[in-house]
Structure formats: C-alpha cells, structure tokens
Amino acid sequence: MSEKLLELKNITKCYKKQTALENVSFSIEKGHVYGFVGENGAGKTTTLRIITGLARQTSGSVELFGESNTKKLTDYRKKMGCMIEHPVFDTSLDAAENLRLYGLLYGIKELSMIPQLLERTGLGNVGKKKVRDFSMGMKQRLGIAAALISSPELLILDEPVNGLDPLGMIAVRKLLTSLNKDNGITILLSSHILSELQELATDYIFISGGKILNTVSAQEVLSGEMSLEQYYISLFKDSTQTNSHKEDNNA
C-alpha cells in the first residue's frame, strides 16, 4: 500500500484582490519523483512556499507525514529539504562554511557529511572559494547540497537546473535519480525544462492559473505517444477553451 508523505487539501491563497491559488489539492506518495508543471505565474512557487512553511494559505490544509496540526508541522518540516526560488547564502563565506550554517539552523551537530555533499553535488573542488565568486549554476548546486543537509525524506526543489549548462543539467539529473533510487528520497520539483522532467519524473502535477489541471503518472502521459511538452500544450489548450466557454455562458 502506498504511503502519502504530503497532501494538500483545497489550498487557496489570496493577495488582497488577487487569487494566486484556488482549491489546490494533490498528494505526494513515498518513493516517487513528481514534476510540477505550469507556466510563469501559474502558482508553482506559491504552492511550494506553502508546503515548506514560507507562506501561509488563506484556506485549506497541509498534511505532512500524516500530521496536519499547524504547530506540529514545524517539527515535521525538519524531515523535508527544500530549495525555493534562488538559494540564499552568506557570500563572504565558502561553500562548506555555508553548509555548516544550514546545519546549525537544522540543529545538526554532526556535520562530517559536508565534504561528501559537496562532492556529490559537483562542488568537491571549490575549496575556499567564496560564494560571491560562484556562478549561478554553482549556487544552484550549493542550494541542492543545503537542501540535503538534514538527510530529508522529502525533497522540494524549485527550478533546480536554473542557470546550469547542459553538462550541469545532466549531473543534477543523475544526482536526483540516485537520491531517489539509492537513498529512497521522494522528490517534488518544478521546472520549465520539460525535457529534463521527462527524464526524471514518475508522476506529474499540472497547474495553470492557480488551479490544478491534472495529476497523472509518467506512464499514462507517454502511453499516448506524446512527449511531455505535447501533453502539456494539449492540456493547457483544453483548459483555456473550457474557461472561454464558461466566460461566454456567463456573459
């Protein structure tokens, strides 16, 4: 029987007169890799921020590892690693020093794994180089290393290959595949690079205009002989046409 690590129930997020999310519901099952797909402004980052506790929903509930009590969610989020938008570091410190700071934030006293984390994320040779001298791609890789510092069961990544060259993307893909298959880490990641998601994801969550369009397994998507990009375009068109019909009927 599958185990749910995360479940969102009817999440709505409003900013004054704007509704960013409307009744968003989906669940994340242990051992899977979920691709979170949507256009700019679709609500992906807002959703991830609510999951990780960086933002509060207007209504609806978040259940994490079977717990939905708001006060207890803070403790349960320690079992989750995340990188949302651009990772934040002390640019006057080197990579290892920044990871030590992240470790302290998580209350981790034993940090001997830091050299291994840096090696695994392709930063094993940066030495004492300050983060201010890192490229965007190097900062992204350090962000992934920081998300792994607590040995999470659930990893949440927002555009993890942003700023990476093709070789960097391949390296991150191999890393995430290894984390999932060898370490049993469940992953939820958003990305605009659908070809990369197609290589990684076992399942997809499609969102547009703050609403979930569909949740579907990778097997179901590819069984229709369409690429992920083609499937998403057809889904988005269907949603647009449906909304147009509703507006016409309400006119």
Side-chain angles (χ1 to χ4, degrees), residues 217-229:
S217 71
Q219 186 176 6
E220 290 177 83
V221 170
L222 301 179
S223 65
E225 298 185 353
M226 285 194 291
S227 67
L228 176 59
E229 181 177 313

Side-chain angles (χ1 to χ4, degrees), residues 138-166:
M138 291 171 70
K139 290 177 182 176
Q140 289 295 106
R141 278 182 259 176
L142 184 57
I144 295 173
L148 294 171
I149 196 76
S150 63
S151 302
E153 295 180 38
L154 175 61
L155 187 60
I156 310 286
L157 300 174
D158 189 14
E159 301 291 343
V161 296
N162 186 33
L164 296 181
D165 59 26

